[in-house]
């Protein structure tokens, strides 16, 4: 016995966490498989069991890396993304609270450095050429935004997603960014984004317009508009803007 404590940050603990995640999290294997297991959404109980044995930030970082890895098998990437999304939203005991309090794992346990790394990975995955990969990334981005935006955190998120749609010229990135916008608008209180309704509408309309040649982008824009109606209510109250929106639809 070397007397070395099994710190979460040690290489041995990191290996154990990664090994558990790979071998016990719903067949998330690192090797490519010719016969992938049936994909199912990992439950929050699955994610909690992983959390009970691993450092939460370390596990989330690992899952974000797997999701963003374009060389990884698709079913592994999807499983990693779904585990990440569920663990972000998991209810956990908040450390150092008396009496004990519960909160979301992402807000209570993940530090700024880990958050930044995970965000960078999933945002990069929005441009994946694999549709299922970027769709899963959009879900994860939205899961984080739904928690952070009401707390006045990640203020650049919406503008960044809008810029992806209006300036990138990358159809993959445009589609997934519109999906993320739609997912966020579906869950967040409209009051939270009351000052950003116009830019949201700008991205949605650009995605929907007939000049957009990619049908998947147009569908994502139309779906996002459906989810964002509460956010753009004031635009519908102006006749000229309402007519333009309806002509685009």
């Amino acid at each position: 016995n070397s007397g070395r404590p099994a710190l979460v940050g040690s290489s041995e603990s990191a290996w154990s966490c990664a090994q558990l995640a790979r071998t016990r999290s719903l067949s998330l294997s690192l090797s490519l498989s010719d016969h992938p297991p049936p994909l199912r959404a990992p439950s929050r109980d699955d994610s909690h069991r992983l959390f009970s044995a691993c450092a939460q930030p370390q596990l989330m970082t690992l899952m974000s890396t797997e999701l963003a890895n374009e060389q990884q098998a698709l079913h592994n990437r999807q499983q990693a993304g779904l585990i990440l999304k569920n663990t972000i939203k998991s209810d956990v005991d908040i450390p150092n609270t008396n009496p004990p309090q519960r909160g979301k794992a992402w807000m209570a346990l993940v530090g700024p450095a880990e958050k930044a790394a995970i965000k960078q990975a999933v945002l990069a995955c929005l441009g994946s050429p694999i549709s299922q990969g970027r769709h899963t990334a959009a879900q994860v981005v939205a899961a984080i935004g739904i928690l952070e935006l009401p707390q006045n955190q990640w203020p650049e998120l919406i503008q960044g997603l809008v810029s992806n749609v209006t300036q990138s010229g990358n159809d993959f990135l445009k589609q997934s960014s519109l999906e993320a916008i739609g997912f966020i608008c579906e869950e967040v209180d409209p009051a939270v984004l009351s000052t950003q309704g116009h830019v949201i509408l700008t991205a949605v309309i650009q995605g929907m317009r007939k000049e957009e040649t990619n049908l998947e982008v147009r569908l994502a824009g139309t779906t996002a508009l459906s989810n964002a109606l509460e956010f753009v209510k004031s635009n519908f109250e102006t006749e000229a803007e309402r007519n333009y929106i309806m002509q685009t639809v």
Side-chain angles (χ1 to χ4, degrees):
N1 186 355
S2 65
R4 182 186 65 184
L7 296 176
V8 165
S10 71
S11 59
E12 181 178 336
S13 295
W15 181 88
S16 299
C17 181
Q19 188 70 5
L20 178 64
R22 289 179 170 104
T23 58
R24 296 182 61 191
S25 66
L26 308 173
S27 302
L28 185 61
S29 168
L30 288 180
S31 61
L32 295 178
S33 172
D34 293 330
H35 303 287
L39 182 67
R40 73 174 178 87
S43 69
R44 294 191 180 184
D45 287 340
D46 294 326
S47 302
H48 181 74
R49 281 194 292 273
L50 287 173
F51 270 172
S52 67
C54 297
Q56 291 90 329
Q58 190 175 52
L59 179 61
M60 290 192 213
T61 301
L62 172 65
M63 295 297 100
S64 68
T65 301
E66 295 293 338
L67 172 61
N69 184 357
E70 295 291 346
Q71 306 306 312
Q72 184 58 271
L74 174 59
H75 63 276
N76 290 345
R77 295 176 67 191
Q78 287 181 284
Q79 293 283 24
L82 292 171
I83 290 170
L84 175 58
K85 181 186 72 170
N86 282 349
T87 51
I88 284 169
K89 301 188 295 183
S90 292
D91 292 313
V92 298
D93 293 324
I94 301 176
N96 304 317
T97 55
N98 187 20
Q101 298 179 26
R102 301 278 285 174
K104 298 301 181 183
W106 177 262
M107 303 299 288
L109 302 174
V110 186
E114 291 87 356
K115 284 183 177 179
I118 292 166
K119 288 175 181 178
Q120 182 179 8
V122 295
L123 286 172
C125 193
L126 291 177
S128 173
I130 308 300
S131 61
Q132 297 95 324
R134 61 181 181 268
H135 172 74
T136 305
Q139 292 179 304
V140 175
V141 169
I144 298 172
I146 288 165
L147 294 178
E148 291 202 351
L149 290 170
Q151 304 301 320
N152 296 317
Q153 299 179 21
W154 210 2
E156 70 275 16
L157 173 59
I158 296 298
Q159 185 58 62
L161 294 173
V162 169
S163 295
N164 289 346
V165 177
T166 60
Q167 299 177 20
S168 73
N170 181 327
D171 287 345
F172 301 143
L173 187 57
K174 289 194 289 186
Q175 179 199 5
S176 58
S177 295
L178 284 166
E179 285 187 329
I181 290 171
F183 294 147
I184 290 169
C185 291
E186 191 173 21
E187 296 290 335
V188 169
D189 187 325
V192 171
L193 298 176
S194 59
T195 62
Q196 300 191 69
H198 182 72
V199 295
I200 290 172
L201 182 61
T202 297
V204 168
I205 292 299
Q206 178 148 335
M208 293 173 56
R209 61 199 179 106
K210 63 182 180 181
E211 290 82 6
E212 173 57 63
T213 58
N214 187 297
L215 294 181
E216 291 184 339
V217 172
R218 293 176 68 179
L219 176 60
T222 304
T223 303
L225 176 62
S226 175
N227 292 335
L229 289 177
E230 285 295 319
F231 292 82
V232 298
K233 183 183 297 184
S234 61
N235 300 91
F236 275 92
E237 292 173 352
T238 302
E239 183 178 2
E241 293 189 36
R242 180 174 63 249
N243 291 342
Y244 178 70
I245 293 169
M246 296 310 299
Q247 288 172 4
T248 304
V249 173

